[in-house]
Amino acid sequence: RKQMLAKMDVCMGGRVAEELIYGTENVTSGASSDFEQATNIATNMVERWGMSDKVGTVCYKNLTGGDGEPIMGQEVRAA
């Protein structure tokens, strides 16, 4: 868990550097792959590896609700 959180911190570093150097109005899309990677790590931590105190230690991977939408999508909107 600690290693994955650290990796997400690193992924966010590029955007933070841009904001500090160029200002929030002048950031680029260069960090988009980093955001995608951080999002994938966070999603896996919750959905696959049970690393969420709020959701619990359950694997939600490949579960869908009655409308075919992933369970986690429904829970995020409900929060």
Side-chain angles (χ1 to χ4, degrees), residues 32-77:
S32 64
S33 65
D34 292 337
F35 291 155
E36 184 175 351
Q37 189 174 9
T39 300
N40 287 337
I41 292 169
T43 300
N44 283 327
M45 287 176 72
V46 173
E47 289 184 356
R48 296 180 70 191
W49 304 322
M51 294 184 179
S52 170
D53 295 334
K54 285 189 174 186
V55 177
T57 54
V58 177
C59 178
Y60 288 98
K61 187 74 174 159
N62 299 324
L63 293 179
T64 58
D67 58 358
E69 179 183 1
I71 296 287
M72 291 307 298
Q74 295 170 357
E75 294 198 11
V76 168
R77 270 193 283 292

